[in-house]
Amino acid sequence: MKHRVGVLIVALVVLMSANGALASWSPGSAGSGSGSGRAIGLPTSALATALGSSSIRVTWAAPTGASVTPTQYVVRRTAPSTATVCTVAGTVFTCDDTGLSGGTTYTYTVEARIGTNWTSGQTAGTTATTTFAPNFLVSVSGTQTAGTAFSPTITATNNGVTTDVTYAGVKTITFSGPLASPSGTNPSYPATVTFVAGVGTPSITLYRAATATLSVTDGTRSGSTSVTVTSGAATQLAYTTSTASCASGSVIVGNGGSFGSRVSVYDAYLNPFTQASNRTITLTRSPVIGTLSPASLTILTGTSETSAASTFTLPTGNPPDTTVTAAAAGLTSATCIVKKN
């Protein structure tokens, strides 16, 4: 019995820290005890350093003042996701976390262990932020006009910030995002872009009045920006919000039937044109039969469609086909042939 007590005392002395506190003990895979940081001693100088857009290196130093040397270290990622990144021998003081996302901040802790049951607990978190991967920064100055060419600035970067001045020459660039105009005209993009010291300024033309995301890629680098396009100059009128559609150019209303419609103003690509001031629309019919009321409509400032509708009614009997025309100075008129059958 005396021999066993002597062995126990020796073992406890060996595991005492410099200030006399005992290292914690936990059976199997249980968590560390509350006094473990003082007993084994926490790793020191834990530091996380970004190596680029997809990896971070964590380094540390051995605990100070401990009477027992750790046999291994465990590095854990605690944010924005959790994982045990490395379990390394007590003689290793570095760990690389790979496969990370660019432009993201990650947090790590380091834990010292002796065997499988003695632990220091985890250090305070150390953080690092990965850089962005090489990409394009795309910028557009101001609001654009449908059908008018403009030049976005495309800047190739090494890390989302620093311009890659070695990116130069003619590059095949793919553009996407904005849709075709209401009339069906597709955006106009160049097949290639010439870059000088990492910067290219291609000429492109969009035809749909809208705010859209313009994306560019060379297959490796990508980037995007928001671009707002307004309608071009007012060029034409069209019947809208009608009792029956006259999209085909004619409408059948039956004997004594009526065709009622508002009138809208559009640009050359059928984008609605918002008026800067009131615009008067005059309506006529040929031949002059039936009734047409009112014969004048107004598109108010800040709108693109008349505030009311005009209605043409065929007389009963056997009336001829009648063309109803909406006209305004400087614009292509809208016409609709109203038929009995």
Side-chain angles (χ1 to χ4, degrees):
M1 175 63 72
K2 290 182 179 181
H3 177 70
R4 292 180 179 178
V5 170
V7 171
L8 177 59
I9 292 173
V10 171
L12 289 173
V13 170
V14 169
L15 292 172
M16 290 179 67
S17 67
N19 63 4
L22 293 178
S24 70
W25 177 85
S26 54
S29 59
S32 62
S34 61
S36 60
R38 296 190 302 274
I40 296 178
L42 290 169
T44 59
S45 305
L47 178 66
T49 304
L51 300 181
S53 62
S54 62
S55 62
I56 289 176
R57 175 164 294 168
V58 182
T59 59
W60 63 92
T64 58
S67 58
V68 181
T69 300
T71 58
Q72 63 180 204
Y73 294 99
V74 178
V75 178
R76 294 185 178 89
R77 184 195 319 131
T78 60
S81 57
T82 59
T84 298
V85 181
C86 294
T87 300
V88 297
T91 56
V92 177
F93 302 96
T94 184
C95 166
D96 288 350
D97 192 10
T98 59
L100 305 178
S101 299
T104 304
T105 299
Y106 292 87
T107 303
Y108 300 88
T109 63
V110 185
E111 173 187 334
R113 286 183 176 180
I114 300 174
T116 58
N117 296 324
W118 301 85
T119 173
S120 68
Q122 300 178 37
T123 62
T126 177
T127 64
T129 302
T130 54
T131 61
F132 285 97
N135 68 351
F136 286 129
L137 298 180
V138 186
S139 62
V140 174
S141 178
T143 299
Q144 310 309 313
T145 301
T148 300
F150 66 97
S151 295
T153 298
I154 305 174
T155 303
T157 76
N158 291 313
N159 52 16
V161 178
T162 305
T163 300
D164 182 0
V165 296
T166 66
Y167 193 89
V170 178
K171 306 291 184 180
T172 299
I173 302 295
T174 300
F175 298 82
S176 62
L179 302 177
S181 73
S183 66
T185 304
N186 290 312
S188 175
Y189 302 124
T192 61
V193 177
T194 299
F195 285 81
V196 177
V199 179
T201 53
S203 176
I204 71 174
T205 306
L206 303 179
Y207 297 93
R208 187 180 190 89
T211 296
T213 298
L214 175 66
S215 299
V216 302
T217 183
D218 65 358
T220 301
R221 285 179 167 91
S222 297
S224 64
T225 192
S226 177
V227 57
T228 298
V229 179
T230 59
S231 62
T235 62
Q236 57 193 303
L237 297 174
Y239 289 112
T240 51
T241 318
S242 305
T243 54
S245 174
C246 197
S248 65
S250 65
V251 61
I252 297 173
V253 299
N255 193 26
S258 298
F259 168 69
S261 182
R262 296 189 183 194
V263 180
S264 292
V265 60
Y266 293 96
D267 68 7
Y269 311 103
L270 292 184
N271 294 299
F273 179 87
T274 301
Q275 294 296 136
S277 60
N278 289 356
R279 185 187 291 270
T280 299
I281 308 299
T282 301
L283 293 108
T284 58
R285 63 197 186 279
S286 179
V288 181
I289 60 173
T291 60
L292 176 64
S293 180
S296 178
L297 298 172
T298 301
I299 301 178
L300 299 174
T301 301
T303 67
S304 60
E305 185 182 56
T306 57
S307 55
S310 179
T311 300
F312 168 68
T313 303
L314 280 173
T316 57
N318 189 30
D321 296 346
T322 303
T323 299
V324 179
T325 301
L331 301 180
T332 300
S333 299
T335 60
C336 183
I337 300 174
V338 182
K339 302 178 179 182
K340 181 184 72 174
N341 49 40

